[in-house]
Amino acid sequence: MDVQPDDLPDGLVIADGAGRVVCFNAAAVRITGRAREEALGSPLHTALPLEDLDGRRWWQLTDPYHGPAIRNGQPERNLLLSGGHEVLVAARYVRAHPRGPVERVVVTLRGTEARRRTERSHAELIATVAHELRSPLTSVKGFTATLLAKWERFTDDQKRLMLETVNADANRVTRLIAELLDISRIDSGRLEVRRQRLDMAAAVRRHVEAHVAAGRPASRFKTEIADELPDLWADPDKIDQVLANLLENAVRHGEGTVTIEVQPTSSPRVPGGTATAVAVSDEGPGIPEESMSRVFTRFWRGSRRGGTGLGLYIVKGIVEAHGGVITVERAPAGGARFRFILPVGAPAFMA
């Protein structure tokens, strides 16, 4: 099947050996705002007037048709269209034989919006990390400096309290670093899943017992676990991350009873169709309808502040790395209901 220029997501402009435009695809029309009929047949520098960031005319600087014959193009760079609209431009010079005359100049155009969004996201991540690290590190530094300078002046109980605070803050820093590593692996597609046989029912009960042991009333939790579940092969540590995050969110930001359901299911959305579904719901105010689409994005914290806003982004990355899907909706009792589906999968040595 032939790919047509208008099928390409990037702008494509091609000029012939005489410097006249012979191709100006739909994306180029959209990016430049110039009509195709106006561009076709025009000199390249007229159809695509470009300046560098210093205001110099780019075609005069690069001179593709009369410049050194050893050149084969221009690497991608930021340039300006008429009106100061910024675009990413790369060019290739096509020659019939090395050092021969240029027969075609092929130019690609890309908008800078996606790159700017990525840059903003990275800047936000750096700012978030700096903010989250500052508080615990300041605390650790302050308490350790105080203990070193005035150790003999404090009672054993005071020393224990300070050291417990230092330990808690160190754990907070460790968790943040782990989150950053997870995000890096998710964004680069390098998140490794080491599948083992996983007893999802036991994993859920273990997390509920941990919350009860931490002082939360057992009556706050309700589990609905099917008698028979399919054999599930998944990464126990990463599924523990998912369960811990969803239960903590339900307990901290929700209200009333937290219900955890574990059921077998079949879904065309996961490989093989056979899967295990886990749902965590609460009876709190829930998530506004207009925010549902942003729940799994970076830095989403809802109406209540606190935390890095990275947890649900990581949860989604882990579930999808297993070939599963995760959704959020309004719970029957009015709160939020997170549901993830994991395919049965295969052990690591067979994957």
Side-chain angles (χ1 to χ4, degrees):
M1 182 175 62
D2 293 335
V3 176
Q4 301 299 316
D6 285 346
D7 297 333
L8 299 175
D10 294 339
L12 177 66
V13 180
I14 301 176
D16 61 17
R20 299 282 175 175
V21 173
V22 295
C23 175
F24 202 82
N25 75 345
V29 172
R30 173 177 52 80
I31 293 170
T32 64
R34 184 178 295 272
R36 192 196 311 256
E37 296 76 13
E38 180 184 343
L40 291 175
S42 300
L44 183 56
H45 67 271
T46 301
L48 197 61
L50 294 168
E51 295 181 352
D52 66 14
L53 301 183
D54 294 323
R56 297 174 296 181
R57 294 180 181 179
W58 193 60
W59 294 117
Q60 291 183 0
L61 288 175
T62 57
D63 196 11
Y65 292 97
H66 304 102
I70 60 172
R71 295 184 308 172
N72 57 13
Q74 295 289 335
E76 187 174 68
R77 67 191 66 196
N78 279 12
L79 295 173
L80 300 175
L81 289 167
S82 300
H85 181 60
E86 191 172 343
V87 289
L88 293 169
V89 180
R92 180 166 179 245
Y93 307 154
V94 180
R95 305 174 190 272
H97 52 84
R99 297 179 180 273
V102 173
E103 294 190 347
R104 289 191 309 280
V105 174
V106 181
V107 182
T108 58
L109 307 171
R110 290 196 298 134
T112 59
E113 292 80 6
R115 193 178 73 169
R116 290 191 181 282
R117 283 195 298 269
T118 300
E119 290 173 349
R120 282 197 298 270
S121 179
H122 289 165
E124 289 173 359
L125 181 60
I126 292 170
T128 298
V129 171
H131 174 76
E132 293 294 327
L133 285 175
R134 183 183 298 114
S135 177
L137 289 178
T138 299
S139 171
V140 168
K141 177 65 177 174
F143 279 121
T144 53
T146 301
L147 286 170
L148 287 170
K150 303 177 182 179
W151 179 265
E152 301 298 335
R153 299 185 186 182
F154 296 108
T155 66
D156 287 346
D157 287 342
Q158 289 172 325
K159 293 173 184 175
R160 177 177 294 276
L161 177 61
M162 291 188 203
L163 289 173
E164 286 174 347
T165 303
V166 168
N167 185 60
D169 284 332
N171 287 337
R172 181 176 164 190
V173 171
T174 301
R175 284 195 302 271
L176 179 59
I177 292 171
E179 285 184 345
L180 293 175
L181 290 173
D182 285 336
I183 286 176
S184 173
R185 295 183 183 114
I186 289 168
D187 287 349
S188 62
R190 294 184 293 106
L191 186 67
E192 292 187 8
V193 173
R194 303 184 182 277
R195 297 182 188 273
Q196 302 174 35
R197 189 184 295 273
L198 175 64
D199 187 339
M200 183 64 80
V204 166
R205 293 190 182 103
R206 186 173 66 253
H207 280 273
V208 171
E209 289 167 1
H211 279 278
V212 174
R216 294 185 172 103
S219 59
R220 178 131 194 233
F221 300 93
K222 177 183 177 183
T223 57
E224 298 178 357
I225 301 175
D227 294 332
E228 294 186 9
L229 294 169
D231 286 342
L232 177 65
W233 293 81
D235 189 315
D237 292 337
K238 290 183 171 54
I239 298 305
D240 271 345
Q241 277 185 265
V242 172
L243 292 173
N245 193 290
L246 295 182
L247 263 68
E248 184 66 25
N249 278 351
V251 169
R252 180 180 296 179
H253 302 300
E255 296 173 4
T257 302
V258 174
T259 303
I260 306 99
E261 307 162 70
V262 184
Q263 305 289 337
T265 189
S266 58
S267 172
R269 300 178 65 185
V270 299
T274 305
T276 296
V278 180
V280 178
S281 56
D282 63 77
E283 299 174 343
I287 298 170
E289 192 70 30
E290 63 273 13
S291 298
M292 289 285 189
S293 61
R294 296 187 287 111
V295 165
F296 298 108
T297 59
R298 289 184 185 181
F299 311 119
W300 186 86
R301 298 185 182 92
S303 58
R304 302 186 184 186
R305 308 298 291 179
T308 60
L310 300 173
L312 290 175
Y313 178 81
I314 294 172
V315 163
K316 181 174 182 286
I318 291 174
V319 170
E320 291 181 348
H322 280 80
V325 293
I326 185 167
T327 56
V328 61
E329 60 186 3
R330 183 164 291 279
R337 183 174 188 262
F338 288 88
R339 183 173 186 261
F340 65 93
I341 302 173
L342 295 177
V344 170
F349 60 83
M350 294 176 60

